[in-house]
Amino acid sequence: MSLTKTASPPATVAAATVPFLDLRAQQARIGTEMRRRIDTVLGHCQFVLGPEVLELETELARRAGAAHCVSVSSGTDALLIAMMAEDIGPGDAVFLPAFTYTATAEVPLLLRATPVFVDIDPDTFQMDVVDLDAKVAAVLAAGKLRPRAVIGVDLFGQPADWDAINNVADRHGLVTIDDCAQAFGASLQGRPLGSQAHSTAISFFPSKALGAYGDGGALFTQSAERAALYRSLRTHGEGKMRYDVQRIGINGRLDTLQAAVLLAKLTVFDEELAARDRVARHYDSRLGNLLQTPVRVPHSTSAWAVYAVLLPTEAARARVQAACQAAGVSTAVYYPKPLHHQPAYAPHHDGSRLPVSEAVATRIMALPIHPDLTAAQVDQVCDAVAAALAATALT
Ligand SMILES: *Cc1c(COP(=O)(O)O)cnc(C)c1O
């Protein structure tokens, strides 16, 4: 390889790009603590269920205001274990929003239960609890499935309407599962998310607000009985002793190295939540009169996993995304398709329309939000969006 050979410089120098996520910048801030934590694990070599795992669980439970925390191998496995613990299976209806990440619907189907898709609120994009009530009534009237559980999703980092969900669940004896994969660190009515449902599942996928350097997740519960079941299920259904198999479980543990990474990240987590909130408010103030910015769930704080705006039409979204890309601004679409339209899930849906989920999927667009975005970068994003909208209005 020639040492003198260099890439030819671009003809015009584009503005520096604004990345959707910047894990490198975060690593530069916390590198010393991160290396100390990882070195400690390399020293003791307890790579599975080492001391960092218990330390992490204790700290997460404290932050979530939950009596128990059980760490697991991913957010998806957290949902799976939560449902296995309730013996959810064939003949059971599990209610969940149609507008969420695929894992929320995948897990009931893995257990051969039936997902029942519920529409969302057009302003907050959280599950529409009036529709939830109607869907439970419809399942009861049809008499084929047993309503068993509802998975509320704290979409984009904002809390679902837990008072209303719990009200429906109590009336029908449903188990409540909080898919809090995007919202660890958020709060509702002054209380952290973590004890609003029978079971709360979070994810440490690297792009989440609290992300590991690989997969991971955790479950919170107020019930000692449920916590014991979760611990058993994450280790092959083991009983009080090793090689005593009490139930069918999975290999669902969180690696000690990931626990060490998360403990290092927790040292700056509160500052990062505040930084994300600053970015969100900066976007609000600059874009609020140009398009629909995130409508806040009352009496809540958000973990700002996603800052999503609504464009007037699908065509306008395509034009704005293309213009942003040309201006070096990353955007993304969460989610381009509601789950009842996914090929894998459509056969399990009754074919009815979920009009809000369907419409929002065509118009929604996410802007970069992470703790290392500078005010200048946020302005660069806003400039690009404003210019694209102005050009769109002219055509
Ligand atoms: C990320 C996510 C999950 C799954 O978490 P993994 O750790 O990737 O398995 C589940 N539900 C929602 C809403 C998510 O955003």
Side-chain angles (χ1 to χ4, degrees):
M1 195 171 70
S2 159
L3 288 174
T4 54
K5 195 171 174 186
T6 54
S8 47
T12 56
V13 179
T17 57
V18 182
F20 206 72
L21 188 69
D22 195 347
L23 293 178
R24 230 176 266 282
Q26 185 198 45
Q27 202 182 109
R29 272 191 284 114
I30 56 178
T32 308
E33 176 64 4
M34 184 66 73
R35 282 183 179 79
R36 186 186 74 78
R37 280 288 187 178
I38 290 173
D39 275 346
T40 304
V41 179
L42 296 183
H44 65 56
C45 286
Q46 294 178 57
F47 296 118
V48 172
L49 297 184
E52 284 78 6
V53 173
L54 189 60
E55 184 183 349
L56 177 73
E57 288 175 344
T58 305
E59 175 61 10
L60 291 174
R62 186 187 70 75
R63 284 173 175 264
H68 307 275
C69 172
V70 179
S71 62
V72 295
S73 42
S74 71
T76 306
D77 285 342
L79 292 169
L80 181 64
I81 287 171
M83 285 192 233
M84 289 170 79
E86 309 297 333
D87 251 327
I88 287 169
D92 289 340
V94 177
F95 301 86
L96 58 107
F99 194 71
T100 172
Y101 183 60
T102 179
T104 319
E106 172 182 41
V107 169
L109 283 164
L110 278 172
L111 297 173
R112 301 284 179 254
T114 303
V116 178
F117 296 103
V118 179
D119 213 351
I120 55 166
D121 180 275
D123 296 322
T124 63
F125 314 136
Q126 306 296 328
M127 183 158 62
D128 174 352
V129 185
V130 173
D131 194 44
L132 169 66
D133 209 19
K135 294 283 154 68
V136 176
V139 166
L140 285 170
K144 290 204 184 93
L145 299 170
R146 198 171 42 236
R148 273 301 305 284
V150 51
I151 311 177
V153 178
D154 307 306
L155 196 75
F156 298 160
Q158 293 210 85
D161 187 350
W162 282 104
D163 280 349
I165 294 172
N166 282 325
N167 186 292
V168 174
D170 286 348
R171 271 190 284 119
H172 297 287
L174 306 179
V175 173
T176 53
I177 297 169
D178 181 357
D179 181 344
C180 188
Q182 300 179 359
F184 179 71
S187 69
L188 182 61
Q189 289 150 359
R191 278 169 52 210
L193 291 183
S195 61
Q196 281 72 10
H198 292 124
S199 171
T200 298
I202 65 171
S203 163
F204 305 127
F205 186 77
S207 65
K208 311 283 181 181
L210 179 63
Y213 285 170
D215 283 305
L219 280 162
F220 298 112
T221 180
Q222 300 301 86
S223 151
E225 221 171 303
R226 281 192 171 96
L229 267 175
Y230 300 162
R231 286 185 201 284
S232 169
L233 287 164
R234 78 171 172 186
T235 304
H236 306 288
E238 79 175 12
K240 292 222 162 18
M241 287 170 327
R242 221 167 163 191
Y243 305 120
D244 166 32
V245 185
Q246 290 286 335
R247 54 188 63 81
I248 310 291
I250 62 171
N251 177 353
R253 294 168 299 240
L254 180 76
D255 290 341
T256 310
L257 276 169
Q258 298 303 344
V261 166
L262 291 162
L263 284 164
K265 290 214 185 182
L266 278 172
T267 62
V268 294
F269 186 58
D270 292 330
E271 293 157 34
E272 292 190 341
L273 285 174
R276 284 172 181 271
D277 199 57
R278 269 198 304 278
V279 172
R281 281 183 284 114
H282 190 160
Y283 279 140
D284 289 342
S285 69
R286 283 221 40 208
L287 300 175
N289 50 13
L290 297 178
L291 35 68
Q292 185 181 318
T293 49
V295 174
R296 305 299 200 272
V297 167
H299 313 296
S300 76
T301 61
S302 177
W304 291 116
V306 172
Y307 185 95
V309 296
L310 270 192
L311 278 302
T313 62
E314 187 164 20
R317 178 175 74 186
R319 284 197 293 270
V320 170
Q321 278 205 286
C324 283
Q325 193 183 6
V329 169
S330 317
T331 62
V333 174
Y334 305 115
Y335 297 94
K337 214 186 255 193
L339 294 185
H340 62 296
H341 285 175
Q342 289 289 358
Y345 306 143
H348 302 278
H349 180 59
D350 63 9
S352 63
R353 302 275 322 267
L354 296 166
V356 182
S357 300
E358 291 165 24
V360 167
T362 66
R363 295 172 49 206
I364 202 155
M365 184 182 88
L367 300 178
I369 189 162
H370 60 78
D372 293 287
L373 273 183
T374 63
Q377 285 179 309
V378 177
D379 279 325
Q380 188 183 336
V381 175
C382 295
D383 290 343
V385 171
L389 282 171
T392 297
L394 292 176
T395 56

